[in-house]
């Protein structure tokens, strides 16, 4: 059984704070890593697809880095806003298999 | 583009009944994925198709579950007979790539309750 771990499980930050969380995955047989933003009662929304070691991707205030050799990816949110409150989910893809983490639940307090 | 369309959005049925969930992927996408979300297990990939052909169905829970993709614009996930433990949200997603190298776009999900 392949383990994809996300930490922390939940996070509360003040509006304006910057924050980051981690997705850890096996360092072998890497194909791709996905980050999703998932608001309650909605469907997951893709943020990033990362395929190369050292990849850095950015979308507005959100960015992500990838280290396939050590098996982790960081997601950063700069200047958190209340609308960033959601669960952030990563998925590790290896071969034909998709392995999801359990997510980091972010609450941004106004 | 309307995005990924799923129907019905909600389904309540009794144990033993057949349930059919439907999905229309984004036009032009060649890969379609069926997921199930439960409290206990989070998000799980059930099966995915590339060019209408099932590539990996190792996530399908058991023989009661079957999925088809008769053409590029339509897929079904069928549960027969349904059981209370099948209650979950079922998501369909589509993508340009079968193997996870491209963004997946999720539908709104079907909330299934089996009594």
């Amino acid at each position: 059984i392949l383990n994809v771990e996300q930490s922390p499980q939940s996070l509360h930050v003040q509006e304006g704070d910057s924050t980051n969380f981690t997705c850890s995955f096996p360092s072998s047989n890497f194909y791709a890593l996905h980050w999703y933003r998932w608001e309650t009662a909605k469907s997951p929304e893709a943020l990033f697809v990362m395929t190369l070691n050292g990849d850095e991707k950015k979308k507005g205030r959100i960015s992500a880095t990838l280290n396939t050799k050590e098996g982790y990816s960081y997601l950063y949110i700069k200047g958190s806003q209340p609308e960033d409150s959601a669960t952030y989910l990563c998925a590790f893809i290896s071969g034909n298999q998709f392995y999801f983490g359990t997510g980091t639940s972010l609450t941004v307090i106004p | 583009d309307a995005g990924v369309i799923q129907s019905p959005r909600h389904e309540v049925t009794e144990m033993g009944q057949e349930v059919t969930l439907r999905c229309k992927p984004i036009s032009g996408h060649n890969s379609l994925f069926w997921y199930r979300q439960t409290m206990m297990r989070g998000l799980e990939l059930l099966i995915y198709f590339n060019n209408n052909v099932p590539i990996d169905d190792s996530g399908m829970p058991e023989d009661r579950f079957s999925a088809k993709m008769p053409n590029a614009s339509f897929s079904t996930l069928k549960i027969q007979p349904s059981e209370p433990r099948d209650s979950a949200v079922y998501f369909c997603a589509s993508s340009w790539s079968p193997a996870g190298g491209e963004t997946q776009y999720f539908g709104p999900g079907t909330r299934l309750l089996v009594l």
Side-chain angles (χ1 to χ4, degrees):
Chain A
I1 295 177
L2 229 147
N3 225 19
V4 176
E5 294 184 355
Q6 291 189 245
S7 62
Q9 271 193 330
S10 66
L11 197 53
H12 289 71
V13 301
Q14 291 289 329
E15 181 176 355
D17 286 352
S18 295
T19 187
N20 66 84
F21 18 94
T22 307
C23 173
S24 302
F25 50 85
S27 56
S28 58
N29 299 320
F30 176 89
Y31 182 79
L33 188 92
H34 291 197
W35 279 103
Y36 294 90
R37 181 174 177 277
W38 197 355
E39 288 184 69
T40 304
K42 294 189 177 179
S43 47
E45 174 196 349
L47 288 173
F48 305 113
V49 174
M50 309 181 82
T51 56
L52 297 174
N53 183 43
D55 251 357
E56 290 189 25
K57 298 227 172 173
K58 190 171 183 216
K59 184 186 278 192
R61 294 180 292 99
I62 305 177
S63 59
T65 61
L66 178 68
N67 184 325
T68 60
K69 292 186 178 178
E70 295 181 41
Y72 64 83
S73 175
Y74 293 141
L75 189 79
Y76 300 91
I77 303 178
K78 185 177 175 183
S80 304
Q81 299 297 308
E83 58 265 29
D84 296 330
S85 298
T87 295
Y88 292 83
L89 197 64
C90 70
F92 167 71
I93 294 92
S94 176
N96 288 331
Q97 302 294 316
F98 290 67
Y99 304 92
F100 283 84
T102 52
T104 292
S105 174
L106 174 67
T107 303
V108 181
I109 303 161
Chain B
D1 198 319
V4 175
I5 298 171
Q6 290 187 248
S7 64
R9 294 291 303 274
H10 299 87
E11 177 84 25
V12 180
T13 191
E14 291 186 343
M15 183 172 66
Q17 296 298 307
E18 178 180 293
V19 175
T20 299
L21 311 181
R22 296 173 178 79
C23 176
K24 177 177 166 51
I26 291 173
S27 177
H29 282 185
N30 61 8
S31 299
L32 183 140
F33 305 78
W34 281 103
Y35 292 92
R36 178 172 67 175
Q37 180 206 3
T38 60
M39 289 291 291
M40 292 295 292
R41 300 171 69 93
L43 194 65
E44 301 173 278
L45 177 65
L46 301 177
I47 184 172
Y48 73 91
F49 296 84
N50 178 235
N51 293 324
N52 314 337
V53 176
I55 301 300
D56 183 33
D57 65 355
S58 59
M60 294 286 263
E62 48 198 272
D63 292 346
R64 297 183 298 106
F65 284 69
S66 63
K68 292 183 180 178
M69 192 164 186
N71 58 61
S73 58
F74 183 65
S75 177
T76 59
L77 179 68
K78 189 174 290 188
I79 309 172
Q80 166 63 23
S82 58
E83 296 182 4
R85 61 191 166 122
D86 302 331
S87 299
V89 181
Y90 291 82
F91 289 102
C92 174
S94 71
S95 163
W96 289 109
S97 162
E102 298 291 335
T103 299
Q104 291 188 22
Y105 296 86
F106 281 74
T110 294
R111 295 177 186 277
L112 173 65
L113 177 62
V114 183
L115 302 172

